Amino acid sequence: MRAQGEPTGQGSRQIRQPVLGSAGSHNHRDLAAEIVHGYAGQLPGGVYEARTRFYRRVPHEVLGADGYALLSRYFARYVLPKALMSGEMTKLQCAVLSNIVGRAERGVANAIQREIADEIGTSRSNVSPALKHLAARNYIRSVGRGLWQLNPLIAYKGNGDEQQRFLAELRALALENGFPDTIGLSAVPNEKKEPPAC
């Protein structure tokens, strides 16, 4: 392994390589001891020591400063394009939904309308009807002042186990509008369907 900061032979460019070291007391945890303790009684009699090595991978380019959320491929491929092309969702409503997706932590986005408006470049008075439109179609759900629950079947930031627990909690509510499983125009009763906004 090259020493940290050693030239790579590619001109004057320097590549800093990770330095491997033990997870000792300076890191406040003895992971090897934790592993041995965790498997106590399950290891062969002659095993009394474990060693750990950590490798750091380069972050995925879509990671971003706030981490990433997994967007439903079905939603991205079929639901959203169809809604946009048919005029059932305007670019403003799409921008608001995208902002909520980017904000959501464990399924909930904390966002007052003024913040959303500032970030997408519109007025607060435009954001309110867009949120109502999205909520009527179960893309999001209001759960308090400035709190929006993003449908976890659209996007979710967190691991799969957390998403499944969250979905189970939502389904146990048996909401009349079918959230989270009924999404889009099918969530809007025929008598309440609205004409597409400009």
Side-chain angles (χ1 to χ4, degrees):
M1 175 182 286
R2 224 187 328 271
Q4 193 168 5
E6 185 179 329
T8 62
Q10 301 173 0
S12 61
R13 185 177 173 198
Q14 303 268 325
I15 296 178
R16 297 178 68 83
Q17 296 292 327
V19 177
L20 299 179
S22 63
S25 58
H26 62 285
N27 288 325
H28 309 293
R29 291 182 71 184
D30 184 346
L31 296 181
E34 289 181 27
I35 291 170
V36 171
H37 180 73
Y39 283 92
Q42 301 176 35
L43 295 172
V47 177
Y48 59 91
E49 180 180 302
R51 296 184 183 188
T52 55
R53 293 186 105 183
F54 293 89
Y55 299 90
R56 181 182 180 275
R57 288 196 175 109
V58 176
H60 197 288
E61 285 295 324
V62 301
L63 185 65
D66 299 322
Y68 63 91
L70 292 179
L71 183 69
S72 159
R73 293 177 66 184
Y74 182 84
F75 176 77
R77 183 173 178 181
Y78 299 108
V79 179
L80 184 59
K82 186 175 181 180
L84 288 169
M85 292 304 291
S86 69
E88 192 273 318
M89 183 185 290
T90 66
K91 65 179 183 179
L92 170 65
Q93 292 157 358
C94 184
V96 171
L97 179 60
S98 179
N99 188 273
I100 296 291
V101 169
R103 288 172 173 272
E105 295 281 346
R106 303 299 185 263
V108 177
N110 189 344
I112 59 174
Q113 293 177 19
R114 185 181 68 251
E115 291 174 345
I116 297 174
D118 290 346
E119 289 185 4
I120 68 173
T122 189
S123 67
R124 180 185 169 190
S125 60
N126 288 333
V127 171
S128 180
L131 288 168
K132 289 178 182 174
H133 178 93
L134 296 170
R137 286 148 180 80
N138 286 345
Y139 297 122
I140 59 176
R141 185 170 82 97
S142 176
V143 290
R145 185 175 177 80
L147 289 175
W148 295 93
Q149 200 167 66
L150 173 66
N151 190 318
L153 294 176
I154 292 175
Y156 192 79
K157 182 181 177 183
N159 65 43
D161 290 339
E162 292 170 344
Q163 183 202 34
Q164 289 304 312
R165 282 193 294 270
F166 187 46
L167 279 167
E169 290 172 11
L170 291 174
R171 287 167 176 153
L173 296 175
L175 298 171
E176 188 177 328
N177 61 1
F179 190 94
D181 295 296
T182 307
I183 303 173
L185 271 177
S186 56
V188 183
N190 290 333
E191 65 272 18
K192 293 185 180 177
K193 284 188 180 175
E194 309 159 11
C198 296

